């Protein structure tokens, strides 16, 4: 590892005192590899469990994830372990049995969002937002792979949420930050670090919090996190918020063996993760409850969602196992969402820039349905409705590279390709060959 920036080193020595040497030694070691299992996709992985997450597993070595077919099917998400502490904020500060409306305002590439979807019940709604368009596309891809239909992906600036006054029960701000906690894993983060950048990030974080705060209900929960250590971007940002707003910091229970530093400063409970004390990267998280009054918006949408014809709707119903499914069309694509979030979806469509909403099931062409890739990945796809072809790993990789496969389906028609029982995507089986419908832009390019 290259030399640490001097100003960073000076500050961290003061913060860590006699732990400084242990901290720098930890930075010389290889970052642990961890994944978070998708609880809806029937995948198992052997390894030590991440103590603060039901779904987190440490792997003893880092495999070539690209060459594991089920990785592309959303069977798990590769995520460093400290950030999985978000789960404790949800479990301890919210009621997961209730219908919750959650906003993840800076969500790309989707680590926190896919984790939140694993925790929410079917009635709940996640709005996963990302301001940078290209990153919003990656976010949408990862949400599709996770397979839940109760997520909406948007591409808005945080200030666009201000006008949704009192809509959300939970707002997650996993803020863009100076990335001090990533120096071991990502040396680029160190090159970009400077005291000026810390200052810039802190100001941006304050702006984001001020923008999204009005969108939170009274008694709603704000979960704030960064992957940086300095107080200006962490405790001081939240103190700044508390000076402007009526807000209360929430304490989370942690176990001593977890190695997390719980710091209480001016009434703010902050949870700090350092690589010499936890098996993970640098991270900070804090939970705030809104005490200010906030009026819930009237959910009346100006225009409703476009709906498909009755005939198409009847056919779409056979494609999904969703409880109370509702369908809407957008251009030529038919989407499925659960009836429990239909009103919210129509309301949000009026106010936000959508990238995707629910699950894209099919394109409607001349009254025929052509399956969308997202449908193959959806956990509520009615698989009994389609021919399925289980293929071994070699053929699965051929499929994911969009090469000709060895396997051939028995019957003609749209066929679900599976590996280890997990759907990877569609082919259209013809007489003696199969048209590979895997999205071109997602295809594996890695040799091996
Ligand atoms: N939550 C993500 C996850 O778990 O995968 C990681 C989010 S990353 C720490 C911060 C995100 O904030 C980035 O995707 C970045 O594009 C976005 N961002 C950058 N500037 C922003 C701004 N001014 N307002 C909101 N988000 C911003």
């Amino acid at each position: 590892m290259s030399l640490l920036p001097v100003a960073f080193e000076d500050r961290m020595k003061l913060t860590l005192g006699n732990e400084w040497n242990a901290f720098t030694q930890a930075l010389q070691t290889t970052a642990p590899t961890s994944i978070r299992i998708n609880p809806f996709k029937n995948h198992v992985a052997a390894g030590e469990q991440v103590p603060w997450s039901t779904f987190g597993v440490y792997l003893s070595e880092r495999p070539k994830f690209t060459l594991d077919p089920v990785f592309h099917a959303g069977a798990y998400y590769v995520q460093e372990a400290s950030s999985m502490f978000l789960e404790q904020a949800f479990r301890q500060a919210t009621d997961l049995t209730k219908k919750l409306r959650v906003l993840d305002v800076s969500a790309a590439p989707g680590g926190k969002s896919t984790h939140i979807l694993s925790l929410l019940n079917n009635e709940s709604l996640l709005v996963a937002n990302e301001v940078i368009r290209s990153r919003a596309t990656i976010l949408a891809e990862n949400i599709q792979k996770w397979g839940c239909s109760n997520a909406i992906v948007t591409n808005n600036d945080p200030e666009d949420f201000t006008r949704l006054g009192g809509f959300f029960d939970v707002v997650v701000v996993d803020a863009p930050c100076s990335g001090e906690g990533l120096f071991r894993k990502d040396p680029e983060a160190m090159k970009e670090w400077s005291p000026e950048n810390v200052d810039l990030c802190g100001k941006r974080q304050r702006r984001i919090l001020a923008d999204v705060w009005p969108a939170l209900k009274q008694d709603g929960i704000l979960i704030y996190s960064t992957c940086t250590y300095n107080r200006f971007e962490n405790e001081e940002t939240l103190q700044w918020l508390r000076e402007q707003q009526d807000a209360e910091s929430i304490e989370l229970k942690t176990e001593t063996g977890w190695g997390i530093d719980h710091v209480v400063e001016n009434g703010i409970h902050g949870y700090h993760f350092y690589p010499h004390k936890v098996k993970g990267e640098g991270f900070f998280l804090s939970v705030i409850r809104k005490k200010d009054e906030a009026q819930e918006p009237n959910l009346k949408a100006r225009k409703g969602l476009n709906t498909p014809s009755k005939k198409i709707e009847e056919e779409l119903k056979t494609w999904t196992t969703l409880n109370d499914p509702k369908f809407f069309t957008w251009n030529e694509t038919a989407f499925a969402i659960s009836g429990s979030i239909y009103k919210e979806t129509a309301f949000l469509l009026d106010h936000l820039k959508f990238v995707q909403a629910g699950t894209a099931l099919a394109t409607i062409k001349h009254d025929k349905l052509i399956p969308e890739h997202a449908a193959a990945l959806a956990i509520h796809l009615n698989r009994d409705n389609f021919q399925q072809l289980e293929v071994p790993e070699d053929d699965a990789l051929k499929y994911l590279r969009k090469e000709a496969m060895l396997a051939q389906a028995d019957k003609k028609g749209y066929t679900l390709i599976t590996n280890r029982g997990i759907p990877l995507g569609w082919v259209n089986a013809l007489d003696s060959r199969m048209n590979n419908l895997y999205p071109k832009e997602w295809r594996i390019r890695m040799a091996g």
Side-chain angles (χ1 to χ4, degrees), residues 7 117 135-136 143 147 178 212 238 271-272 308 311 317 330 367 370 402 419 424:
L117 285 168
R135 290 178 62 82
I143 300 257
S178 60
V212 297
L238 297 171
Y271 298 85
H272 284 271
K311 180 172 166 267
K317 276 190 188 154
W330 201 4
D367 254 10
I370 303 166
K402 274 183 99 61
N419 175 244
L424 304 179

Side-chain angles (χ1 to χ4, degrees), residues 4 26 55 65 80 112 116 143 145 152 154-155 167 183 233 235 250 257 259 269 370 386 423 439-440:
L4 294 167
F55 316 113
F65 290 112
E80 77 78 27
K112 309 281 181 312
I116 295 166
I143 300 257
K145 288 180 176 169
I152 292 174
T154 57
N155 174 215
F167 183 83
F183 285 180
E233 294 180 69
E235 284 90 346
I250 295 183
H269 295 270
I370 303 166
F386 301 94
K440 217 174 36 243

